[in-house]
Amino acid sequence: MVEDVASGNHHLQQQQPQAFDVSVEGYEHRDSKFFDEDGRHKRTGTVWTASAHIITAVIGAGVLSLSWAIAQLGWVAGPAAMILFSLVTYYTSTLLSVCYRTGDPVNGKRNHTYMDAVRSILGMLCHQIQFTKAIFLGLETGGFKVKICGCIQYANLFGVAVGYTVAASISMMAVQRSNCFHSSGGKDPCHMNSNVYMITFGVAEIILSQIPDFDQLWWLSIVAAVMSFTYSIIGLGLGVGKVVENKRVRGSLTGITVGTVSESRKIWRTFQALGDIAFAYSYSMILIEIEDTVKSPPKESTTMKKATFISVVVTTFFYMLCGCFGYAAFGDSSPGNLLTGFGFYNPFWLLDVANAAIVVHLVGAYQVYCQPLFSFIEKTATDRFPNSDFVNKEIKIPIPGYHPYKLNLFRLVWRTIFVIITTLLSMLLPFFNDIVGLLGAIGFWPITVYFPVEMYIVQKRIPKWSTRWVCLYMLSFACLIVSVTAAAGSVAGIIDDVKVYKPFRTNY
């Protein structure tokens, strides 16, 4: 029986589809200085480039809603929730980083995407059951879990693109509104439409989306990371200044009180706040793709653990300062977006700098999140239509003083359509806080917790019902409850917004 299962497993491995394995015919004859063992271009990423990618993804628009989230939870539960989410994110990210290679952590098969890892590692479940049963259950390709993972991951990446478009337009409008407010002596006569700003942001993303691969985004990630620190520090400084001006720390131990809002609204807002905090820490959906840019030796998981530790510590430090000082400054009336909710009015030029930094950061963060989705669609199209010139042919466009740019018509068309669709959806659903909360809730449990835990258990062959096995599943179940409640709160908020919102109309 053991021999039958082993032969069945060998057959399964032979039957693995090649849709996600990128191999270059004849790569073994190429110079190893420029190519990895699987024929891909040599990876050059380090702890610092990986940290820049993570910080660009993590310190995003989510930081601006943290003071509002703490206002819903209070001085006790708010900071505690942020610390808890940071610990869970760090721990599960270290589990996920181990899954970059299947089997041996140094020489095992590389998984270039999150879905590759799920397919490859959870496919190892076939070792635990009879071959015929594995075929019946469809585990030869990772089965149902692979499809679910792909749907959640890429739907969440798509949703992030919509959320970032909304956030960028809000910041661009805040710059204009701030200047109007001061030029009118505080009467604020400005009336503007967010659609113009969303379209402007979309045009910029269409241009930048033609950057072919993730590893060519390092410079954009560094710029975006610098911008994220810029507006976070400005928000922190303004919060500290407001506390000094007030001569007291506002807020309460339990957050916004019933009476200020209804009891049901308090509950839904509390749930939504958890989603906002989860969104602020979410980047697991692109962790494997970031790890795929890291050079080896040392082994990739070691580098990623260091990068994850650096990034989570830095982001948590900024989150605690920005969120807590924002709440201390405004208390229960903390705005949903710290820099665009107009809790601050002066100095208005500094607010303009902060909001401009937000826009630049989101331009880069949009690309960091969308590149895995772009890559997935293009690899699928290449495998489906290997002889199509439209899909595969590259046109070399000379650039003076630089390498020629390789234009691919399919990439040009499909990525442009993608950006247009996300822009249109943003114009229909410009609800910053609610969208942020919903995205965080949807992606947190399955992508950040469930699949990393499942893959780690299989990868490390953790015995069923062992202490570690039970603890990992208890963690997963607890995070599931948090995700469900956060999603419910965000959906309730969106329903309230939809009742009064008229699409494609002036927002201010």
Side-chain angles (χ1 to χ4, degrees):
M1 176 63 71
V2 173
E3 292 179 356
D4 291 340
V5 173
S7 63
N9 290 328
H10 177 68
H11 177 72
L12 280 175
Q13 293 172 355
Q14 289 180 328
Q15 295 299 317
Q16 289 285 342
Q18 301 302 312
F20 296 91
D21 290 331
V22 178
S23 57
V24 179
E25 200 171 278
Y27 73 84
E28 61 273 14
H29 301 299
R30 295 185 172 187
D31 192 338
S32 61
K33 292 182 180 179
F34 303 103
F35 295 90
D36 280 328
E37 76 278 3
D38 62 350
R40 287 173 170 248
H41 286 285
K42 200 78 171 179
R43 294 164 292 158
T44 58
T46 64
V47 169
W48 302 112
T49 59
S51 298
H53 284 314
I54 295 172
I55 290 171
T56 297
V58 175
I59 302 183
V63 68
L64 302 174
S65 66
L66 289 178
S67 59
W68 179 89
I70 295 179
Q72 312 313 308
L73 299 171
W75 278 119
V76 176
M82 282 200 287
I83 293 175
L84 183 61
F85 274 99
S86 69
L87 292 175
V88 171
T89 301
Y90 170 71
Y91 180 67
T92 57
S93 294
T94 61
L95 302 184
L96 184 58
S97 67
V98 174
C99 302
Y100 176 67
R101 290 185 182 268
T102 303
D104 186 80
V106 177
N107 300 312
K109 173 187 173 294
R110 286 167 56 194
N111 299 306
H112 303 294
T113 69
Y114 199 120
M115 280 187 67
D116 284 350
V118 174
R119 173 182 293 102
S120 179
I121 294 173
L122 294 188
M124 292 169 64
L125 288 171
C126 299
H127 290 280
Q128 302 172 15
I129 58 178
Q130 203 171 4
F131 171 65
T132 53
K133 291 182 180 179
I135 292 295
F136 177 76
L137 295 173
L139 292 174
E140 75 280 8
T141 60
F144 182 67
K145 289 183 178 180
V146 177
K147 296 176 182 178
I148 290 295
C149 171
C151 289
I152 295 173
Q153 181 192 8
Y154 295 126
N156 209 260
L157 292 175
F158 180 84
V160 167
V162 174
Y164 278 7
T165 303
V166 173
S169 70
I170 290 173
S171 290
M172 286 188 276
M173 285 192 296
V175 173
Q176 182 180 345
R177 192 179 179 195
S178 173
N179 290 303
C180 284
F181 180 85
H182 284 84
S183 64
S184 65
K187 296 179 181 179
D188 191 19
C190 290
H191 297 284
M192 64 195 74
N193 195 301
S194 62
N195 297 338
V196 175
Y197 299 96
M198 291 182 185
I199 292 170
T200 302
F201 183 81
V203 170
E205 294 303 342
I206 287 174
I207 296 171
L208 290 172
S209 69
Q210 296 310 306
I211 298 174
D213 301 310
F214 207 130
D215 60 352
Q216 297 177 32
L217 284 174
W218 62 269
W219 61 273
L220 190 58
S221 285
I222 291 174
V223 171
V226 171
M227 292 297 103
S228 67
F229 284 122
T230 299
Y231 67 73
S232 295
I233 291 172
I234 291 174
L236 171 61
L238 291 172
V240 172
K242 189 72 173 178
V243 172
V244 172
E245 179 186 332
N246 295 336
K247 296 181 180 180
R248 67 187 181 93
V249 174
R250 293 183 175 178
S252 62
L253 295 180
T254 57
I256 191 168
T257 57
V258 176
T260 306
V261 295
S262 65
E263 185 174 351
S264 61
R265 172 77 71 170
K266 167 71 175 178
I267 294 172
W268 291 125
R269 282 191 174 188
T270 298
F271 292 162
Q272 184 184 336
L274 295 176
D276 284 3
I277 296 173
F279 177 81
Y281 281 103
S282 64
Y283 74 95
S284 296
M285 67 190 79
I286 58 173
L287 185 143
I288 294 292
E289 285 80 355
I290 293 174
E291 192 167 356
D292 194 41
T293 68
V294 172
K295 64 183 178 182
S296 178
K299 61 183 181 180
E300 298 87 354
S301 60
T302 299
T303 301
M304 281 304 295
K305 285 179 182 178
K306 292 179 181 178
T308 297
F309 178 77
I310 292 170
S311 304
V312 171
V313 168
V314 170
T315 54
T316 300
F317 177 74
F318 271 93
Y319 282 0
M320 290 293 287
L321 290 178
C322 292
C324 291
F325 273 103
Y327 183 45
F330 299 107
D332 293 346
S333 61
S334 296
N337 187 316
L338 187 61
L339 292 175
T340 63
F342 285 89
F344 302 115
Y345 289 93
N346 286 296
F348 75 96
W349 62 267
L350 189 59
L351 286 170
D352 290 349
V353 170
N355 281 297
I358 292 172
V359 174
V360 174
H361 171 258
L362 292 177
V363 166
Y366 184 105
Q367 293 301 319
V368 169
Y369 271 103
C370 291
Q371 279 292 336
L373 177 56
F374 292 160
S375 179
F376 168 72
I377 295 296
E378 285 153 21
K379 286 177 183 177
T380 302
T382 298
D383 293 331
R384 178 89 39 110
F385 307 103
N387 299 318
S388 170
D389 287 342
F390 175 72
V391 173
N392 300 293
K393 186 177 180 179
E394 292 183 334
I395 303 170
K396 292 186 178 180
I397 300 176
I399 300 176
Y402 197 69
H403 298 294
Y405 175 75
K406 297 178 180 179
L407 176 66
N408 178 274
L409 293 178
F410 176 73
R411 182 172 67 229
L412 174 64
V413 173
W414 119 256
R415 293 190 183 188
T416 300
I417 293 173
F418 173 87
V419 175
I420 291 172
I421 292 174
T422 59
T423 303
L424 288 173
L425 283 176
S426 302
M427 294 159 72
L428 284 169
L429 299 170
F431 314 130
F432 175 72
N433 264 59
D434 297 322
I435 289 178
V436 161
L438 184 59
L439 290 175
I442 291 175
F444 176 65
W445 176 70
I447 300 298
T448 302
V449 181
Y450 174 74
F451 282 111
V453 166
E454 288 286 319
M455 289 190 287
Y456 184 79
I457 288 174
V458 174
Q459 178 90 319
K460 295 297 184 179
R461 295 184 171 86
I462 297 175
K464 192 172 184 180
W465 301 113
S466 64
T467 301
R468 194 171 191 184
W469 186 93
V470 171
C471 289
L472 286 170
Y473 273 106
M474 286 176 64
L475 172 66
S476 182
F477 180 75
C479 291
L480 171 62
I481 299 301
V482 171
S483 282
V484 171
T485 55
S490 298
V491 169
I494 290 175
I495 291 173
D496 288 340
D497 288 335
V498 169
K499 290 178 181 177
V500 297
Y501 176 72
K502 296 180 180 179
F504 302 111
R505 295 290 297 274
T506 300
N507 293 73
Y508 289 105

